[in-house]
Amino acid sequence: MSKPSVARPWGDSAPRAERHPIDLSARLGSAVRRLRDQQGVSQEELADRAQLDRTFISMLERGKRRATLESAQAIAAALGLSFSELVREFEPSPDEPGA
């Protein structure tokens, strides 16, 4: 007997961008880049402070990698922010679709 399917509004075969109208990882990457630039910090320096690899920071900022909660916390601390302050920098506004 087959397992009943779970109804998903985006369907299982849709590309990732279509399944998730708001990509929080991309938002995080953009926020990290903006905050890093505002502070005049290089990717290498931020990676050093956060004890992460510079290529991870680069890929995160370009939306090619996803952060774990632990790496996001380390990045927040390296930028002198609390985790919740970092989240406020990239959370969607209430009027955006899917918010």
Side-chain angles (χ1 to χ4, degrees):
M1 181 177 238
S2 68
K3 190 175 180 182
S5 65
V6 176
R8 292 186 175 93
W10 54 81
D12 287 331
S13 62
R16 179 172 179 70
E18 292 175 22
R19 287 186 282 162
H20 301 284
I22 298 174
D23 189 345
L24 294 179
S25 291
R27 285 180 178 276
L28 172 62
S30 294
V32 168
R33 177 177 288 169
R34 184 180 70 255
L35 292 164
R36 182 180 60 73
D37 286 345
Q38 287 173 356
Q39 294 183 18
V41 175
S42 69
Q43 287 180 344
E44 189 167 350
E45 185 178 347
L46 178 60
D48 235 20
R49 290 181 189 178
Q51 297 182 335
L52 297 168
D53 192 86
R54 187 205 55 82
T55 58
F56 173 78
I57 299 295
S58 172
M59 293 177 80
L60 177 71
E61 288 183 355
R62 291 182 289 129
K64 304 292 184 188
R65 290 286 306 266
R66 297 187 177 282
T68 63
L69 289 173
E70 292 80 5
S71 61
Q73 170 62 44
I75 291 168
L79 291 168
L81 303 171
S82 68
F83 182 75
S84 61
E85 288 170 324
L86 179 60
V87 169
R88 278 194 292 278
E89 289 291 328
F90 71 89
E91 72 181 346
S93 63
D95 58 335
E96 289 184 55

